[in-house]
Amino acid sequence: MSVLPDPGASRAVLIGSSRFDHLEPLPAVTNNLAALAEALASPTSWQLRPEHCVILANPGSTDEVMAALRAAALEARDTLLVYYAGHGLVDLQSRLQLALPKSQQDWPESSLHYEWLRQAVLAGRSERQVLLLDCCFSGLALGTMAGGPPKLVDHASVEGSYLLAASSETSAALAPPGETYTAFTGQLLEVLRSGIVGGPELLELDAVYRHLRVALAAQSRPEPQARNRNTGARLALGRNRAFDPDLPVGMSGGLDPSLRAWPSPGGIRTAEGFITRLGDVRVVSGLSQKAISQRSGRKIADGTVSNLLNRETLPRTWTAIPTYLSACGVPEDQVRQWKEVWERIRAEQADSVRDLTPSAAEDRKPQTWARRLWRRKDGSTVRPERG
């Protein structure tokens, strides 16, 4: 079953090197980073908040990159996406090196070892990982990032992940001079923005990969390569805007509501994800907030629908949610699934509050000066005198 990740429990790290002291510049990489971050924040994609999508443009050191990777890997519980664009180099042991601004062709210690990136991803807590590599593995030529030895992409695979690389085993990953984006990322952005005609409702990674191969081959450009290790192929990068251009994304004309591909609450882990998917339900229904209110028999007002879809915290009561879902057309068995997820997140939030130490719990509440506790360095607390 296709799935969009929970935006509150997912993270992205976008790494790009466009300026180099010893290698040819790749100015399009700068555009890649900004456009991909914008696409991942789109309402038809992952809807990632800016603080959940780290952009590392021309990082000054491997330490800077690894610190950001480790932090994101520890924070992500649903999906972690890592993207790199720049020069790919190969050392004497045929190991992949990702070039940074100060990298040199014959100095592997000056680049980011792919194995370090791989280990940081593996050390994380995310259920799924997506790795996008817009580079190739050796040599330089004007406007290109030249190719490397066969099967190197196999060594780059991460168990339980989806790896999408810009070039095949022997060809170059192209950075066409004068174009806004590199060839691979430019085509990927086109898919996210315009969709795939005749494609699935959600842009599953396998569907994206197959489309990129055909589209790039038709332009006589290098064909990408993919590896799926046990999971990730059904993960979606967004909603297919070309699924039916005449209707809101997710709808099919005249299709019975019980047969529509309603957003699943199954993978939701956070309040943010819950609210995001509630909004997706309205998109799939194709109904305005006013229409939802009317279909509910005015059991929920327009303003209630708006408040439900634009809040940051999980609703404290279940009352309005089933009315909203039913008015949109969600079948009753799926409404029960939503309730189970709502109850689970509420319970997890309650457990989190109970796990706080008394002094920490007090710090979470509005307090007067007389009630506030100060914590000493040794862990003990003291109530200060007023004034």
Side-chain angles (χ1 to χ4, degrees), residues 137 149-157 163 165 167 169 225-227:
F137 311 105
K151 305 298 182 183
L152 188 59
V153 72
D154 291 326
H155 299 299
S157 296
L163 170 67
S167 65
E169 295 167 351
Q225 194 170 5
R227 292 291 184 272

Side-chain angles (χ1 to χ4, degrees), residues 159-170:
E159 191 68 28
S161 71
Y162 198 97
L163 170 67
L164 187 55
S167 65
S168 64
E169 295 167 351
T170 58

